[in-house]
Amino acid sequence: MATHAHPKRTGLWDWLTTVDHKKIGILYLIAGGFFFLIGGLEALLMRIQLMYPNQEIFVGGSFNQLLTMHGTTMIFLAAMPIIFALMNAIVPLQIGARDVAFPFLNSLGFWLFFLGGLLLNLSWFLGGAPDAGWTAYLPLSGKNYSGMGVDFYVLGLQIAGIGTWIGGINFLVTIINMRAPGLTFMRLPMFTWSVFVTSALILFAFPAITVSLVLLMFDRLFGGAFFEPALGGNIVIWQHLFWVFGHPEVYILILPAFGVISEVIATFSKKRIFGYSAMVFATVLIGFLGFMVWVHHMFTVGLGPVANSLFSIATMLIAVPTGIKIFNWLFTMWGGQIRFTAANLWAVGFLPTFVIGGMTGVMLSVPPADYQFHDSYFVVAHFHYTIVGGMVFALFAGLHYWWPKMFGKILNETLGKIGFWFFFIGFHLTFFPQHFLGLMGMPRRVFTFLPNQGLELGNFISTIGAFSMTIGTLVFLYNVIVTATRGEKASNDPWDARTLEWTISSPAPEYNFAQTPLVRGLDAFWVEKMAGKKKMTPAEPLGEIHMPSPSILPFIMSLGLFIAGFGFMHHAYLIVIIGLGTTVVCMFLRSIYDDPGYHVHPDEEEVKA
């Protein structure tokens, strides 16, 4: 066993103070999964309300709160953190690193996200949730038209957003500086490439939403007039700022999903990903174009035919690199020895589903057509085919695929396939009819509809599908419990995979690699397998490994901002001073006390294992 120069922490204290990227990945997964269940419950309640015409279960303001919190929770508090869970758990292992570049900041990023999300969700119990839609358009989100819930939205998302931004910087630096010897950029696994581009998008996109939230906070809490037309403000500025962030956010969600699909399909087709270079450049191009298309959300604002035409063309261009990816995944499977495991079922199910979402996206990129589709259920269907059919399917694929590396056990395959079919069929039952509901004129964000307008059947089928998706999610949770209690213990490489994370034990030891591996080509582990070797060639002799010390400071710093958020909302400036003061003191302590870390020495037996 390894020897430690640092006392080992256990229990809750260990999880509060950890800076280990693998444990932080698990924390992101638990927190993101928790918020996913809350967001899913909110969606189910909305579908129950819309199951029949003229229902009066959740009407008016209650429905608006459910609608706003569902969108906000799913985008900011569920999808992003589960992506960060996979990023934390896998990326350092895929590049042969022992941790991320800034472990302390990694912990700080998680706690900021979690406490920001918690602050937002406490609004349900402290005066009412935000009710202005997840986009918080002005003037609906102004103080004249919405209650205190929007204050929770503004402050909660600012705190959570800082955490995400820190995480993006951390992964950029990690991938640039901490790759194993021989692991050039054009040998990076596709998942790591997608995380690299995603991190760049986070770096440049999140400041836009932060600025817009700060301006809205000044309007609501301090009497500002940035978005008050009567005082010289401009509400369209909010839409620009929101979508300068909002559309790259779509690619922040979907690019890691593309990376997951590339890894899963290549492994379970037992082939190298087809057209690796084209896949890399397509990823970069999608990231670049993602910043050039925000106005397609604003075609109906009235920016004029020239602006609409330019952003329409830019939007259509994204279909080209996306199409390259779709065809390359198909060509990877072509002639491969395909295994339809639960992970691969989710990946294969992703392909036609995301293509449908992409096609309706091209339809929406045409301004005259967009004028007809705008704010109808057609947009709801398109958005969910892209985000749920694209990203959520890929997240389930990634969780089934990397679960052995994260927890040391393989998720039950039978339960995994049952859960997939319930979710897959339920998804299409839910959202495919919504295309036609939109074309028939049903507007989005309404809490009821009238009978005898041809909308009954579509809404009824849609609600039945939502129940089926719920069953699929519950089967996955049951699978997690079954696997944790009596699951099969995983070997180092249970899928006969191709990349570095499968060269070490499942789950990975605290230092990841006893010796940094030497990479000799794309799909580094597969290269060694083809050379008749069972493990990587080390790039360094066996020796002591330096590890960062755990710290409670990230949690306390985040807690300080959480407390200050309450103070701002209630204009209780003593509480603001206490909260911000706590954060500043922690920053001071972190600055003056150097962290010497500790050392681990893996013994020979552990390395051989």
Side-chain angles (χ1 to χ4, degrees), residues 170-192:
N170 207 350
F171 278 96
L172 269 181
V173 179
T174 300
I175 295 170
I176 291 172
N177 286 336
M178 299 184 70
R179 287 168 287 123
L183 186 57
T184 61
F185 269 93
M186 290 311 286
R187 288 177 176 176
L188 284 178
M190 280 310 303
F191 179 65
T192 299

Side-chain angles (χ1 to χ4, degrees), residues 54-94:
N54 284 334
Q55 290 218 101
E56 295 185 357
I57 305 172
F58 304 104
V59 300
S62 300
F63 190 88
N64 289 343
Q65 291 179 37
L66 285 173
L67 180 146
T68 302
M69 287 300 289
H70 165 69
T72 308
T73 300
M74 284 302 199
I75 294 292
F76 292 99
L77 307 180
M80 290 287 303
I82 297 177
I83 288 171
F84 265 81
L86 293 180
M87 289 163 67
N88 267 283
I90 302 304
V91 167
L93 304 183
Q94 281 199 331

Side-chain angles (χ1 to χ4, degrees), residues 41-47 49-50 55-71 123-124 127-133 445-448:
L41 176 63
E42 290 158 352
L44 186 62
L45 295 179
M46 285 192 291
R47 282 312 323 165
Q49 164 63 25
L50 291 170
Q55 290 218 101
E56 295 185 357
I57 305 172
F58 304 104
V59 300
S62 300
F63 190 88
N64 289 343
Q65 291 179 37
L66 285 173
L67 180 146
T68 302
M69 287 300 289
H70 165 69
S123 61
W124 283 111
D131 56 359
R445 303 188 180 106
V446 294
F447 64 84
T448 191

Side-chain angles (χ1 to χ4, degrees), residues 536-548:
M536 300 297 296
T537 302
E540 62 179 4
L542 189 64
E544 288 194 337
I545 300 169
H546 178 260
M547 303 296 294

Side-chain angles (χ1 to χ4, degrees), residues 423-564:
F423 198 97
F424 181 80
I425 294 171
F427 170 82
H428 287 284
L429 283 177
T430 303
F431 295 108
F432 197 72
Q434 291 182 6
H435 291 103
F436 302 99
L437 290 174
L439 292 174
M440 293 161 68
M442 181 169 173
R444 63 194 293 197
R445 303 188 180 106
V446 294
F447 64 84
T448 191
F449 57 95
L450 297 175
N452 303 318
Q453 293 187 335
L455 303 177
E456 290 93 335
L457 181 61
N459 275 294
F460 180 79
I461 294 174
S462 192
T463 302
I464 296 299
F467 278 107
S468 180
M469 291 171 71
T470 304
I471 294 171
T473 305
L474 293 176
V475 171
F476 178 80
L477 290 178
Y478 178 66
N479 195 355
V480 169
I481 295 169
V482 168
T483 302
T485 52
R486 54 178 188 272
E488 176 187 353
K489 191 174 185 318
S491 63
N492 292 6
D493 182 23
W495 309 123
D496 192 19
R498 314 173 71 84
T499 44
L500 281 179
E501 72 269 30
W502 304 105
T503 64
I504 56 179
S505 62
S506 303
E510 64 176 310
Y511 44 81
N512 296 350
F513 297 88
Q515 293 168 288
T516 303
L518 178 66
V519 175
R520 301 193 302 166
L522 178 64
D523 290 347
F525 192 23
W526 194 257
V527 169
E528 301 301 328
K529 287 180 180 178
M530 291 300 99
K533 298 180 179 178
K534 294 183 178 178
K535 62 180 185 178
M536 300 297 296
T537 302
E540 62 179 4
L542 189 64
E544 288 194 337
I545 300 169
H546 178 260
M547 303 296 294
S549 297
S551 173
I552 192 64
L553 291 181
F555 174 75
I556 298 176
M557 290 169 71
S558 307
L559 190 62
L561 291 180
F562 175 82
I563 294 170

